[in-house]
Amino acid sequence: MADEKSLNFLEEIVETDLKEGKYTSIATRFPPEPNGYLHLGHAKSICLNFGLAQKYGGYTNLRFDDTNPVTEETEYVESIKDDVRWLGFQWANELYASDYFQQLYDFAVVLIKKGLAYVDDSTSEEIAAQKGTPTRPGTNNIYRDRSIEENLTLFTNMKAGKYKDGEKVLRAKIDMAHINMLMRDPVIYRIKHAHHHRTGDAWCIYPMYDFAHGQSDSIEKITHSICTLEFVPHRELYDWCIEKLEIYPSHQYEFARLNMTYTMMSKRKLLQLVNEKHVSGWDDPRMPTLSAVRRRGYTPESIREFCDKIGVAKRENLIDIGLLEFCVREHLNKISLRRMVVLDPIKVVITNYPEGKEEILTSENNPEDETAGSRSIPFSRELYIEADDFMEVPPKKYFRLAPGQMVRLKSAYIIKCEEVIKNAEGKVTELRCTYVPESKSGSDTSGIHVKGVIHWVSVAHALPIEVRLYDRLFLTEDMNRIEDDFKNHLNPESLKVLTNVYAEPALKEAKEGERFQFMRTGYFCKDKDSTSTKLVFNRTVTLKDMWAKEVRKGA
RNA sequence: UGACCUAUGGUGUAAUGGUAACACUGCAGAUUUUGAUUCUGCCUUUCUAGGUUCGAAUCCUAGUAGGUCAACCA
């Protein structure tokens, strides 16, 4: 029996609308502005919009809100399409607000003819000054009373390019004393002699968001237009335009955007990080963009699961980034092949293992998935193990390697540390161990039980690789709360590059983007910077580490 | 000195007038050839004050707190 999951408030609205026969099917849209890359906040919106349509039998349009040519570029359009597809969604139609420029222009003319719009010659400063404040009403200016004929002529001239940028605007004529600031004669068209990424130089006037978005929804017969909370006050204007234009009544609903701990989700600031080279690009694996988390090794399934788990509501939230990490671990644990990789090597010589001898051992690829099969791993007299897996003076409950102590080498033998060799500075350089020949994995007759199991790589067969370890980009939990420059909060240790790393030979076959669990250290993904001679892996996320926590508590 | 939105464990989200629950986190334990995974148990919750009602997290009023609104951005 599938337990019935409760509905979020948007699903409730849709179900009610469907039940009451308001609609027979629904249409939603995802409306990004192509002025940056999509991030996890957009993923929430994508999952919501596409998810709703999927669940209730409708469709979702991908509509680029490209009404501001100075910030928008084709590069962004392509990345957005890639990201939506990667997340696993298929849009019904690829559309652009710029497709509607003529219709939108005609709508503006309709408004003028109804006496509901006028051309204003004021500067932006004057308009701002006349706007009043939230507690003080605005004031009318002389342009407000221009005749319909004059407005029509002026607006035609605006379109014809007879004025310079900023010289005139078209404003809706609503009410300068309206309690809602957005209803105080909002600017609906402005002059921009700028090249548009799709319409080229065909237009020199462009509609504002409030005069483009709702009408675009209406043209596409979007039933449920879902946006974030900061647009709540825009809804009144959204409805006003639809009513005065007497067009299809789409409706706007608002939800709270995603905020995440230690994460900055503002496109503008992310752009700044890219431009000022604090990161290597929009897809730097430390970024919260979808192209970055993809490169880092996150799966689309885990992002969708995350969006499902965080829910949808109308109150401000701050999601623990640990939940995202939980989701990706949960998925990667099920699907990723295990490999042994030593990130910080220390050499072990097995003194009672014959020189020149080699054995081929077998290890399962994924204990969570029998169909994943197994692989061969070469074993020999000299090995690398993790420096962390040896302590000369171990604390209580440390069940890895220490002088006189035994551990099992994963899928191989039990070894015992007999001697510690140090260099002149007293640093441990080599461990001399003996192995128990009867303790071979799968045919262990030694009767010895050891608690610790560690990973290892045969020196003679080791594959050198580069590994990039990522930590949170920011050190401050709630980046919405800061008052100083957000760059002051950057984590200087958000990237650590390890170049003295050895992997088992099987990793050589890895394909770009392929994800693995490096046993006991974390999940990793082969990076696009890899070449035939240099393999590079990104750490997606560490494994949960109870021992590290234990150590921290002791400290 | 306004309007609008919001208020449930540490963090999210449910409960739709009838026993406050689920996930993450945290803590404790079992299993484990990954100190992973898995499994078990535990901790912790209705902003305040009134009102309506047999009964309120839920409805009403007021207060308080947080958010939003004064771009020719979206």
Side-chain angles (χ1 to χ4, degrees), chain A residues 353 358-362 375-379 440 461:
Chain A
Y353 195 86
E358 268 180 34
E359 275 181 89
I360 301 298
L361 306 174
T362 307
R375 68 192 188 281
S376 300
I377 309 173
F379 184 85
K440 185 169 173 177
H461 308 85

Side-chain angles (χ1 to χ4, degrees), chain A residues 270-512:
Chain A
L270 294 177
L271 175 64
Q272 209 179 326
L273 291 178
V274 173
N275 286 342
E276 296 174 12
K277 312 267 191 236
H278 292 102
V279 294
S280 64
W282 282 102
D283 68 346
D284 184 304
R286 293 167 290 181
M287 294 278 273
T289 56
L290 296 181
S291 51
V293 298
R294 171 167 69 231
R295 182 173 175 190
R296 180 141 165 186
Y298 276 78
T299 61
E301 291 89 339
S302 63
I303 305 288
R304 278 188 258 127
E305 176 66 14
F306 172 70
C307 290
D308 190 53
K309 276 183 152 60
I310 59 177
V312 181
K314 295 186 76 160
R315 58 173 147 161
E316 296 293 326
N317 57 75
L318 183 62
I319 308 287
D320 188 341
I321 196 168
L323 182 61
L324 213 217
E325 296 176 342
F326 169 83
C327 291
V328 74
R329 283 191 189 107
E330 186 183 43
H331 188 222
L332 257 17
N333 176 50
K334 291 195 187 99
I335 62 163
S336 62
L337 303 185
R338 313 294 126 122
R339 293 291 182 263
M340 291 202 282
V341 176
V342 177
L343 301 178
D344 182 14
I346 177 171
K347 198 195 249 185
V348 166
V349 178
I350 302 172
T351 54
N352 61 341
Y353 195 86
E355 271 181 72
K357 184 178 171 181
E358 268 180 34
E359 275 181 89
I360 301 298
L361 306 174
T362 307
S363 191
E364 54 197 342
N365 275 325
N366 184 352
E368 306 292 319
D369 177 9
E370 280 182 25
T371 66
S374 60
R375 68 192 188 281
S376 300
I377 309 173
F379 184 85
S380 64
R381 191 170 189 264
E382 297 196 351
L383 312 169
Y384 291 119
I385 67 163
E386 208 69 65
D388 265 0
D389 288 336
F390 171 79
M391 281 187 95
E392 198 171 7
V393 187
K396 280 199 186 75
K397 290 192 289 180
Y398 184 84
F399 40 85
R400 303 177 189 178
L401 207 54
Q405 213 162 293
M406 290 203 254
V407 277
R408 172 171 292 281
L409 299 171
K410 171 69 185 172
S411 298
Y413 299 93
I414 292 172
I415 59 169
K416 182 179 184 183
C417 178
E418 308 284 0
E419 192 186 348
V420 181
I421 297 181
K422 299 179 189 174
N423 63 12
E425 288 96 60
K427 190 178 172 256
V428 178
T429 55
E430 187 180 309
L431 267 19
R432 308 220 129 215
C433 300
T434 53
Y435 85 119
V436 181
E438 313 78 59
S439 67
K440 185 169 173 177
S441 257
S443 55
D444 187 347
T445 56
S446 70
I448 303 170
H449 176 75
V450 293
K451 187 106 170 146
V453 179
I454 64 172
H455 59 283
W456 53 274
V457 169
S458 163
V459 171
H461 308 85
L463 176 69
I465 65 171
E466 176 178 315
V467 156
R468 297 174 184 172
L469 305 182
Y470 302 103
D471 198 355
R472 49 187 58 135
L473 228 202
F474 295 99
L475 294 167
T476 304
E477 186 167 34
D478 189 351
M479 289 298 289
N480 287 325
R481 287 239 110 82
I482 61 165
E483 272 159 23
D484 55 333
D485 187 343
F486 74 100
K487 294 193 283 324
N488 296 341
H489 299 256
L490 248 8
N491 177 6
E493 295 179 358
S494 57
L495 168 63
K496 282 198 187 105
V497 180
L498 269 34
T499 50
N500 186 31
V501 177
Y502 295 103
E504 62 167 280
L507 204 61
K508 205 178 303 176
E509 321 306 330
K511 294 183 280 287
E512 185 179 315

